[in-house]
């Protein structure tokens, strides 16, 4: 842990798993690094309890003695990765960087429903599959509430579902664009800009520069056309997200989904429609 203390991480260290759980009850953490063999509790038990306390916690399991079944059980308990001992410090720090990025910019859930019954949505889904193979920025155009952010998450899941995903509202950005500290968490993944047509001149200049930097795949949503400067960057691949009026066949499945979720929250059976 001395190597971590001298690095860019803030470290809370303990050799007692119950003390680790007490820390997790008291404060928020991004990462948990644990061995498999611990006094009092196993590493698997620690992971299970830690994830109940902080479901978004990212977990790295380390061991010199783990068997394949131990690794499978750890992943099922919520571990994100496994590092066999002995290991190189550089590999350890690289893993921590990746897991911290996932903690700060978590990928969308693969269980999030994607309803594409209507011809318009089926066409969009096919376009998203083609766009997933490209590296150019993608601009989603459509009315408010059409689901531009959902389409961006779908695109991310088609490209690299386990990579970081950052969603940023353009309206709240300053002249520096997306703060570098936030954008760093999206490296190797995707960044989605909400309301690109709301960007003023200074913000548009900053975003146009940031889109040129490697390491992040960009997409954006807009109701109207953004500035010419941003059209030059995002206008290569434009996808239109239809409103409900153009996807009437999806209305009943969407309503069923909302009704099922509401009934689950209330502990009731979903009625027939």
């Amino acid at each position: 842990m001395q190597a971590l203390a001298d690095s860019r991480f803030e470290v809370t260290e303990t050799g007692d798993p119950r003390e680790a759980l007490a820390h997790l009850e008291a404060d928020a953490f991004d990462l948990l690094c644990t061995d498999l063999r611990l006094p009092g509790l196993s590493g698997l038990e620690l992971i299970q309890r830690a994830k109940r306390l902080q479901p978004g916690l990212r977990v790295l399991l380390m061991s010199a003695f783990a068997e394949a079944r131990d690794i499978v059980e750890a992943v099922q308990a919520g571990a994100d990765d496994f590092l066999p001992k002995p290991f190189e410090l550089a590999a350890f720090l690289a893993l921590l960087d990746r897991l911290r990025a996932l903690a700060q910019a978590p990928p969308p859930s693969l269980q999030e429903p994607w309803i594409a019954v209507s011809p318009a949505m089926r066409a969009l889904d096919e376009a998203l599959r083609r766009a997933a193979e490209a590296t150019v920025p993608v601009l989603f155009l459509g009315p408010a509430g059409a689901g531009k952010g959902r389409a961006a998450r779908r695109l991310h899941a088609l490209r690299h579902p386990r990579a970081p995903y950052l969603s940023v509202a353009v309206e709240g950005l300053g002249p520096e664009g997306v703060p570098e500290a936030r954008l760093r968490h999206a490296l190797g993944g995707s960044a989605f800009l909400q309301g690109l047509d709301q960007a003023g001149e200074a913000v548009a200049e900053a975003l146009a520069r940031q889109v040129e930097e490697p390491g992040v795949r960009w997409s954006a949503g807009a109701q109207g056309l953004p500035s010419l400067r941003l059209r030059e960057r995002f206008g290569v691949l434009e996808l239109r997200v239809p409103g409900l009026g153009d996807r009437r066949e999806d209305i009943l499945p969407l309503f069923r989904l909302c009704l099922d979720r509401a009934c689950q929250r209330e502990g009731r059976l979903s009625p027939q429609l």
Side-chain angles (χ1 to χ4, degrees):
M1 287 299 143
Q2 182 61 39
L4 284 183
D6 294 338
S7 72
R8 53 202 172 277
F9 295 93
E10 295 181 12
V11 181
T12 299
E13 181 182 359
T14 177
D16 185 341
R18 298 188 184 280
E19 184 178 339
L21 291 172
H23 284 300
L24 289 167
E25 286 182 338
D27 295 298
F29 289 84
D30 289 333
L31 308 174
L32 168 66
C33 300
T34 179
D35 205 318
L36 188 61
R37 297 185 176 182
L38 301 172
L41 289 177
S42 71
L44 293 177
E45 290 174 308
L46 174 59
I47 294 171
Q48 290 170 337
R49 297 190 185 189
K51 293 290 282 187
R52 284 198 292 268
L53 290 172
Q54 297 191 26
L57 186 70
R58 296 291 169 172
V59 179
L60 175 60
L61 178 67
M62 304 174 291
S63 179
F65 306 102
E67 298 180 0
R69 65 179 183 182
D70 296 321
I71 300 173
V72 171
E73 289 179 359
V75 171
Q76 291 174 341
D80 294 281
D81 219 321
F82 171 75
L83 190 62
K85 294 181 179 180
F87 51 78
E88 295 290 334
L89 177 60
F92 180 45
L93 293 177
L95 262 179
L96 293 187
D97 277 332
R98 185 179 74 84
L99 294 179
R100 180 166 61 177
L102 290 173
Q104 297 294 328
S109 171
L110 295 178
Q111 306 303 316
E112 184 178 12
W114 173 252
I115 293 176
V117 178
S118 64
M121 285 300 292
R122 290 202 302 270
L124 175 61
D125 196 47
E126 180 59 32
L128 288 174
R129 293 181 184 278
R130 294 194 300 269
E133 301 174 1
T135 59
V136 296
V138 178
L139 176 61
F140 293 101
L141 295 171
K148 298 180 287 293
R150 177 65 187 96
R153 295 193 296 275
R154 171 72 169 171
L155 176 62
H156 176 88
L158 291 170
R159 280 175 167 170
H160 36 208
R162 293 179 60 84
Y165 179 82
L166 182 67
S167 181
V168 180
V170 169
E171 189 176 11
L173 296 180
E176 77 282 1
V178 182
E180 289 300 323
R182 293 193 67 190
L183 189 57
R184 194 179 306 122
H185 295 307
L187 289 175
S190 305
F192 173 68
L193 298 170
Q194 309 167 34
L196 191 65
D197 49 334
Q198 302 301 312
E201 183 176 343
V203 175
E205 287 292 327
L207 292 176
R209 290 193 301 270
Q210 289 181 315
V211 171
E212 292 294 308
E213 298 175 5
V216 177
R217 290 188 174 184
W218 291 83
S219 63
Q223 294 185 52
L225 293 178
S227 68
L228 180 60
R229 185 83 167 95
L230 290 176
R231 286 294 299 279
E232 293 175 352
R233 295 292 179 266
F234 283 89
V236 178
L237 185 54
E238 295 183 1
L239 300 181
R240 187 159 296 277
V241 182
L244 280 180
D246 297 318
R247 50 181 298 201
R248 297 173 63 87
E249 296 87 348
D250 297 319
I251 293 177
L252 187 57
L254 285 167
F255 184 77
R256 282 195 178 117
L257 174 65
C258 295
L259 184 61
D260 288 344
R261 287 180 168 177
C263 289
Q264 287 174 3
R265 288 194 299 269
E266 297 291 334
R268 299 183 180 185
L269 295 175
S270 296
Q272 298 255 339
L273 294 178

